[in-house]
Structure formats: C-alpha cells, structure tokens
C-alpha cells in the first residue's frame, strides 16, 4: 500500500508526495494542521491541506524572505514578523548580530507548538532573548504601532482564512505607519503562474504600490509551492533594493547561505515578461 499526500493546485492540477508516515493531525480554532514524513522532502507540514514548510526546501523561502531586505540594509535593528509560526524566518534573522529585537505575531499557537515538537531545525531560535512572541492577529497588532520597525516581514498563509486580513489595504497602510522612514516591508506574494493565485498577487501588488514610493517584486524557485515559482513583494519609503544594496557590509558578516547570494539578490528582481505584464496591469 502507498500513502500519498495530494494537494490541489488548481481545479485541474494536483501535486503529490509519497508519504512514509503521518506524524500528527490536529485542529486549532483557526485551521487544520498535519505533519507528514516523506523520503523526498523529509518532514513537512500543511495548514488546511496547503503546503507550508518542508525540511528539504524551506531554506529557499527563508533565505529569500530574510536576506534580501537584510543585505539591502544591514543596519536593521527592530523587526516585526507576522505569521511565520514554523520559526524559519526568525532563525535567519537571529543570525544577524545587529538585530536587536524581533516581535513575532502568530495568530495560531498550535502551529508554534507543533513545529517546536516536529521541526527543531526551523524553531531553533524562537527562544532567542531578542524574540518576543505574540499570539494575536497580525492585522490587529499592527494597528497600534507607529514608527517602530526597520523591517516588517509578512510570512503569512494565503489570502483566505486567517491570512485574509494580511492582504488588505488597511493592513498595508498600518504597516506603512509602523515602519520608520527607512523601513522595508517584505511579504510572501503568491505565484504568478496559475489564475487563482495571479489575482491575489496582482491585488496585493496594487495595494502596496498605492502606499509606498518604492515597490518591487522578486522571485525564487520553491519546488513544493504551486507551480514552483514564488514571488515576494519588497516595498520601502526610501530604500531601493538594488541601488542601495550594501553588498560589502553583508559580505563582511560572513553568513553562510545555501540559496541566497549577492548575484542572486540583483538577479531575483529580473522578472519574466508575462509576470511584468501582470504586475503592470494589476487591478482589484
Ligand atoms: N512559508 C509559508 C507559506 O507561504 O506557505 C508560510 C508559513 S507560516 C506557517 C504562515 C503562518 O501565518 C501560519 O502559521 C498562520 O497561522 C499564520 N497566520 C495566518 N494568518 C495570520 C494572521 N492574521 N496573523 C498572524 N498570523 C497569521
């Protein structure tokens, strides 16, 4: 008998992984959580049947969501991370000695508890003294914050269920106010290839563009996410991710990274024509 995890990427496309064992299944107030073990990807977990993190390819997502903004401004000291209950984003941020404080706001405590048990490699820095964890809705948390952060990372689920509010105009507007003048906002920006995700991607881009003078989109190749082609949004009031890149300062930190490097930093902002077109004509 074979056990397969199958995820519906579109009405017509399914993605499957051969599973050795299901290690956990639970339901929180917000979502269903499953943990599996597979030969190809090691352990992985899903929320409401959607892939979140696999041991084999999580380095790609976490390198790109953290090192792109951190190399752009290695002076970042105060960071707000929204979502990210698996801990991978906080792990990468904690490698920077200059980061003084990280507020992590995860709506679902069960995600963190399950990840602490099954994913020691991503949760390794959640107990770093610089990290404060709040179990709250990120949409509400950011409402009361003004001029506080150098970097906000939105490491959320997709724009339905608990993650929906993190793709709204209200949320992006509050992030704008929560950031200092040289602040940077980075968010997971969905995939450009399939129609259903295209819509969320275009809407998010348009809403961020209405607020921030500098907005760019960059890409990475993540095998277990729909289509394998994933985008991230970059926005700032003043700092351009390429013109203002502090490559020498980042190199002097001697951080070993498995995916990110400075060539890729510049290259990841070069988008395929069809993606540029989608973003240029982004509407609600
Ligand atoms: N890398 C992942 C991806 O894109 O598939 C995202 C990982 S992380 C596990 C996403 C987290 O965002 C989840 O744990 C979820 O509970 C959290 N989340 C969703 N909506 C949220 C909200 N409104 N406020 C705070 N956290 C939220």
């Amino acid at each position: 008998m074979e056990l397969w995890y199958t995820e519906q990427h579109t009405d017509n496309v399914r993605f499957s992984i051969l599973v050795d064992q299901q290690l956990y299944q639970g339901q929180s107030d917000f979502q269903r959580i499953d943990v599996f073990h597979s030969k190809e990807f090691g352990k992985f977990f899903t929320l409401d049947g959607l892939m979140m993190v696999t041991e084999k390819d999580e380095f790609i997502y976490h390198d790109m969501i953290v090192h792109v903004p951190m190399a752009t401004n290695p002076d970042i000291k105060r960071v707000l991370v929204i979502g990210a209950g698996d801990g991978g984003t906080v792990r990468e941020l904690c490698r920077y000695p200059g980061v003084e404080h990280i507020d992590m706001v995860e709506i679902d405590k069960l995600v963190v508890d399950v990840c602490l048990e099954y994913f020691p490699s991503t949760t390794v820095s959640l107990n770093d003294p610089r990290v404060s964890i709040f179990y709250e809705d990120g949409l509400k948390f950011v409402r009361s914050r003004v001029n506080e952060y150098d970097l906000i990372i939105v490491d959320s689920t997709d724009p339905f269920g608990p993650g929906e509010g993190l793709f709204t105009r209200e949320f992006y507007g509050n992030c704008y106010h929560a950031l200092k003048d040289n602040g940077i906002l980075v968010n997971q920006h969905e995939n450009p290839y399939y129609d259903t995700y295209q819509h969320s991607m275009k809407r998010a881009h348009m809403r961020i563009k209405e607020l921030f003078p500098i907005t760019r989109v960059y890409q990475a190749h993540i095998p277990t996410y729909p289509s394998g082609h994933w985008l991230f949004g970059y926005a700032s009031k003043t700092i351009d991710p390429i013109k203002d890149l502090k490559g020498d300062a980042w190199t002097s930190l001697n951080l070993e990274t498995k995916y990110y490097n400075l060539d890729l930093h510049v290259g990841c902002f070069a988008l395929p024509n069809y993606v540029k077109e989608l973003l240029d004509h982004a509407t609600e």
Side-chain angles (χ1 to χ4, degrees):
M1 193 195 76
E2 287 184 339
L3 183 61
W4 289 82
Y5 164 77
T6 294
E7 186 171 319
Q8 187 103 10
H9 281 181
T10 77
D11 287 346
N12 312 304
V13 176
R14 289 179 181 166
F15 171 80
S16 294
I17 299 173
L18 182 61
V19 161
D20 303 325
Q21 214 186 339
Q22 175 151 15
L23 301 171
Y24 175 85
Q25 178 189 332
Q27 175 73 45
S28 71
D29 290 342
F30 305 98
Q31 53 213 343
R32 175 182 164 150
I33 307 176
D34 291 277
V35 182
F36 301 93
H37 185 272
S38 69
K39 265 199 188 64
E40 188 64 47
F41 291 101
K43 278 185 261 178
F44 66 93
F45 87 97
T46 62
L47 294 177
D48 286 339
L50 295 174
M51 180 61 79
M52 290 293 125
V53 162
T54 82
E55 285 183 319
K56 188 173 180 185
D57 71 358
E58 59 86 7
F59 70 98
I60 305 173
Y61 180 92
H62 293 124
D63 266 21
M64 292 304 276
I65 208 165
V66 170
H67 300 303
V68 170
M70 289 303 301
T72 301
N73 177 14
D75 285 334
I76 283 170
K77 292 184 171 51
R78 288 189 64 84
V79 185
L80 171 62
V81 176
I82 295 186
D86 54 82
T89 293
V90 165
R91 176 193 68 201
E92 291 307 308
L93 284 167
C94 284
R95 300 176 68 199
Y96 288 84
V99 168
E100 290 172 359
H101 189 78
I102 302 166
D103 285 332
M104 175 180 136
V105 185
E106 163 61 61
I107 202 167
D108 195 344
K109 184 170 186 298
L110 189 61
V111 174
V112 176
D113 291 344
V114 168
C115 288
L116 281 167
E117 183 167 352
Y118 293 99
F119 295 90
S121 60
T122 54
T123 51
V124 59
S125 300
L126 287 181
N127 61 359
D128 187 293
R130 293 171 290 173
V131 180
S132 302
I133 304 183
F134 299 83
Y135 294 109
E136 286 178 40
D137 186 342
L139 175 68
K140 293 202 184 113
F141 184 91
V142 83
R143 274 184 193 141
S144 56
R145 312 279 147 159
V146 178
N147 200 21
E148 253 188 61
Y149 298 104
D150 303 302
L151 171 64
I152 299 178
I153 296 183
V154 188
D155 182 357
S156 67
T157 43
D158 294 325
F160 34 81
E164 197 171 347
L166 305 181
F167 289 78
T168 57
R169 277 199 178 81
E170 185 210 334
F171 175 70
Y172 297 133
N174 289 331
C175 287
Y176 184 94
H177 295 300
L179 284 169
K180 295 180 187 167
D181 281 346
N182 63 353
I184 296 172
L185 170 69
V186 169
N187 64 325
Q188 78 88 350
H189 214 292
E190 303 291 306
N191 87 69
Y193 192 71
Y194 291 130
D195 288 357
T196 37
Y197 291 86
Q198 260 177 25
H199 175 69
S200 316
M201 169 203 95
K202 284 163 54 174
R203 201 181 49 184
H205 183 64
M206 201 199 66
R207 290 175 175 175
I208 295 171
K209 227 163 80 172
E210 285 169 359
L211 290 160
F212 287 85
I214 298 168
T215 52
R216 301 288 293 269
V217 170
Y218 62 98
Q219 61 185 354
H221 301 93
I222 304 178
T224 56
Y225 286 175
S227 86
H229 184 192
W230 210 255
L231 300 180
F232 298 88
Y234 173 102
S236 174
K237 299 177 193 178
T238 51
I239 301 187
D240 184 276
I242 296 177
K243 275 192 252 151
D244 298 317
L245 170 64
K246 300 282 184 297
D248 291 344
W250 188 80
T251 303
S252 72
L253 293 169
N254 279 320
L255 297 176
E256 255 180 53
T257 44
K258 197 166 160 191
Y259 191 83
Y260 176 84
N261 59 52
L262 292 173
D263 291 337
L264 194 71
H265 182 110
V266 177
C268 71
F269 287 93
L271 299 175
N273 284 346
Y274 86 93
V275 180
K276 284 206 259 184
E277 193 138 311
L278 287 168
L279 293 169
D280 286 348
H281 299 107
T283 50
E284 274 294 309

